[in-house]
Amino acid sequence: MLDIKFIRENPDTVKNACRTKNFPDVVDDILSLDVRVRELKTITQTKTAEKNKISREIPTATDKAPLITKSKQISDEIAADLAELTDKEALLNDLLHRVPQIPDASAPVGADDSANIEIRRVGTPRNFDFTPRPQWELLEMNGWWMPEKIAGICGTRVYALAGELAELSLAIQTYVIQKLISKGFKYIECPSISKPQTIFNAGHFMGSDLSVMNNDVFMLTDTDRCLTGTAEIVLNSLHSDEILSENELPIKYAGFSPCFRKEAGAAGRDTRGIVRVHQFNKVEQYVFCKPEQSDEMHEHLLSNLCEVMEDLELPYRVIANSTGDMGFNKVKMNDVEAWFPSENAYRELGSCSSIGQFQARRTNTRYRENATGEVKFVATLNNTGIALPRALVPVIENHQNADGSVNIPKKLQPLMGGRTKIGGKH
RNA sequence: GGAGAUGUCGCAUAGUUGGUCUAGUGCGCCACAUUGGAAAUGUGGUAUACGGGCAACCGUAUCAAGGGUUCGAAUCCCUUCAUCUCCGCCA
């Protein structure tokens, strides 16, 4: 959420953000409610001050009765004003939760992903001297999965990895975690079960109504809890209600968690293979920093993911996502897309996002500035470290050989016991 | 899941027959004094949010959270949450 003061002082900027991000403009309603709420606060506080004064006089007064009567009368007046105040404040609060984060000036303006801009391309898609196989054929012929069996046992959009590819998956995960640790990230093994409020505090969804997110989030029946779609949810709340010292910042976490998503909006898409599944494993980069460090950290997180792409020897490109595509809570977003030979296209493997102080305001995560002693909200950022099994798809498709075997990227070989390839006939 | 105990200003604690608690004390932290410098010592200070004000400052709220009783609640009542101990179950 945004600072009400910011909205008061920059209504046009906020209105513009609502428009370019495709969210309803509630700014005028907020401003008029805000005026009334402040009026009521002033009135009730003045009356309460008077009541408190009388209460302090009562113990020593010789004639208590008239004071008590007066105090009761003021209490009744306060109650009436308070009823309206509570009401209006709740309304205001709800509207404030519907205001999207202001996008960065550098973000392309547009309604959806068609307005995204490619900002750089690294590596060249390989020219195969044979017909490359799509992921599902490689999985099938190497016995790396068992789609019908698992669909029968567990339902669709889930997967089981078997044998050497499952080993490679674990190796990649370990590799990325170790890389991030070496760059000063603290490794956190995160829970996947959380309270819905925690998801709400990550600011992925508009408004205060927790039921809004039910379309995307698995709720656990008979409990008040749900499954998280990313470790970001938990990492975001790790310092809620704390006042950090400036010296601690930036705090960098590498969170791992199984991730659960309904993928309700993607019915019929990516039904084959292991690109889009209800449950997957993800290493997430997450940073708490000073607002002025945000851009620097964004580049840091982005370069870490790019390095992973390069270590996996994948051709990839970096996208500047448009205002309409970046989502409710983001200032800036860069997708990193790897080349998928089977689709003859680049597809998202990770997404680097600057959130500004938007999440910190919801979690009440602040820091004290050394020079001034002022307490300010931190800025937060997140980026994928690696998402599995999706990342395996470009790895096996790009590095496949004619016999169906797959060459292991050099950096991964030590974690695969020195093997240089997996699969094929051997 | 069952039984019991606990939850106070960064930490540790006092306060639970309701009003002098706008929460005391110790530690920590900051400033100043003392010192050649430090330690020790002394003195003072030490939260957050919101509202009002140009400002100095004033007011309101916060003793886990929410609700209730009362003129008045850290203190009484209810609900929830968290922690600890024991039991059960278990990786």
Side-chain angles (χ1 to χ4, degrees):
Chain A
M1 63 193 285
L2 298 179
D3 187 357
I4 179 75
K5 285 177 199 151
F6 179 86
I7 300 175
R8 251 178 238 153
E9 287 159 17
N10 307 280
D12 293 333
T13 308
V14 180
K15 282 165 179 273
N16 193 48
C18 293
R19 192 167 55 249
T20 59
K21 282 190 151 188
N22 302 327
F23 289 100
D25 178 355
V26 290
V27 173
D28 290 331
D29 292 338
I30 286 175
L31 293 178
S32 62
L33 267 175
D34 177 47
V35 169
R36 182 59 182 154
V37 163
R38 280 191 289 165
E39 257 171 29
L40 287 166
K41 273 190 179 166
T42 308
I43 293 169
T44 52
Q45 286 182 4
T46 309
K47 285 181 180 171
T48 305
E50 196 184 340
K51 192 183 81 167
N52 287 347
K53 186 164 162 274
I54 293 171
S55 286
R56 264 177 259 128
E57 288 168 2
I58 288 176
T60 52
T62 41
D63 189 4
K64 294 180 167 62
L67 290 175
I68 289 173
T69 310
K70 177 72 180 164
S71 180
K72 272 183 168 168
Q73 183 205 325
I74 297 173
S75 286
D76 290 343
E77 289 174 26
I78 294 171
D81 292 332
L82 222 47
E84 189 189 344
L85 177 60
T86 310
D87 214 49
K88 293 263 158 61
E89 244 186 335
L91 215 55
L92 175 61
N93 214 29
D94 178 64
L95 290 180
L96 283 173
H97 285 127
R98 292 171 188 276
V99 177
Q101 171 67 296
I102 312 292
D104 193 70
S106 70
V109 176
D112 51 42
D113 58 5
S114 64
N116 292 353
I117 292 173
E118 178 183 305
I119 52 178
R120 73 171 176 274
R121 199 177 276 223
V122 178
T124 336
R126 169 181 163 196
N127 279 317
F128 288 94
D129 51 13
F130 58 94
T131 308
R133 296 181 172 90
Q135 46 152 332
W136 48 86
E137 281 185 31
L138 291 166
L139 289 160
E140 185 63 40
M141 70 183 290
N142 286 303
W144 285 337
W145 75 342
M146 48 211 88
E148 292 85 4
K149 187 74 185 175
I150 290 300
I153 302 169
C154 308
T156 55
R157 273 213 199 285
V158 293
Y159 70 97
L161 285 186
E164 289 182 302
L165 190 63
E167 286 182 67
L168 183 63
S169 183
L170 185 57
I172 292 174
Q173 183 183 311
T174 305
Y175 177 81
V176 172
I177 289 168
Q178 287 177 350
K179 174 186 275 290
L180 292 174
I181 290 170
S182 76
K183 288 172 181 284
F185 287 74
K186 184 172 186 177
Y187 176 54
I188 311 271
E189 197 171 287
C190 290
S192 299
I193 296 175
S194 88
K195 297 178 180 177
Q197 183 66 40
T198 309
I199 296 188
F200 170 74
N201 285 345
H204 292 188
F205 304 98
M206 186 184 75
S208 311
D209 183 5
L210 293 176
S211 67
V212 170
M213 65 191 199
N214 285 357
N215 280 342
D216 300 282
V217 176
F218 284 109
M219 303 302 294
L220 294 172
T221 318
D222 299 332
T223 74
D224 58 351
R225 300 201 277 177
C226 54
L227 297 175
T228 56
T230 164
E232 175 194 349
I233 301 300
V234 173
L235 296 170
N236 170 239
S237 286
L238 236 39
H239 296 287
S240 57
D241 296 317
E242 291 182 23
I243 299 176
L244 302 162
S245 98
E246 183 180 335
N247 305 334
E248 297 176 72
L249 301 176
I251 298 174
K252 305 196 286 182
Y253 289 122
F256 167 80
S257 79
C259 303
F260 298 86
R261 298 184 184 180
K262 277 192 179 173
E263 300 291 355
R269 284 197 286 154
D270 303 314
T271 50
R272 244 172 146 186
I274 50 175
V275 169
R276 191 185 294 273
V277 284
H278 284 313
Q279 177 186 344
F280 59 98
N281 293 320
K282 183 155 63 71
V283 178
E284 179 82 353
Q285 310 180 58
Y286 196 90
V287 168
F288 297 90
C289 68
K290 296 186 273 180
E292 59 269 29
Q293 294 175 310
S294 204
D295 285 342
E296 177 198 335
M297 282 297 125
H298 189 94
E299 290 311 309
H300 177 56
L301 297 193
L302 184 57
S303 72
N304 290 341
L305 179 55
C306 291
E307 252 183 56
V308 170
M309 293 299 110
E310 284 155 36
D311 292 345
L312 294 176
E313 299 167 22
L314 298 175
Y316 70 95
R317 63 176 190 169
V318 180
I319 298 294
N321 295 74
S322 77
T323 53
D325 189 40
M326 69 171 61
F328 185 63
N329 62 357
K330 299 180 184 184
V331 175
K332 192 163 71 173
M333 172 170 165
N334 294 110
D335 279 355
V336 171
E337 301 181 338
W339 179 252
F340 280 46
S342 64
E343 303 190 29
N344 202 37
Y346 287 94
R347 291 208 55 178
E348 179 187 334
L349 280 200
S351 190
C352 186
S353 301
S354 290
I355 309 296
Q357 297 171 308
F358 201 84
Q359 289 179 330
R361 241 179 225 106
R362 289 200 178 187
T363 57
N364 196 29
T365 306
R366 296 168 297 171
Y367 75 102
R368 194 184 305 278
E369 212 171 52
N370 285 337
T372 61
E374 271 183 76
V375 174
K376 295 179 170 175
F377 288 103
V378 300
T380 62
L381 302 98
N382 64 81
N383 189 10
T384 312
I386 195 75
L388 297 157
R390 182 180 285 190
L392 293 172
V393 174
V395 169
I396 61 174
E397 287 189 354
N398 282 290
H399 303 324
Q400 64 178 294
N401 300 309
D403 66 352
S405 65
V406 169
N407 298 328
I408 301 172
K410 283 194 180 54
K411 297 265 173 115
L412 270 302
Q413 289 174 9
L415 283 162
M416 289 294 285
R419 273 169 285 178
T420 57
K421 65 176 182 178
I422 55 173
K425 289 166 250 161
H426 60 266

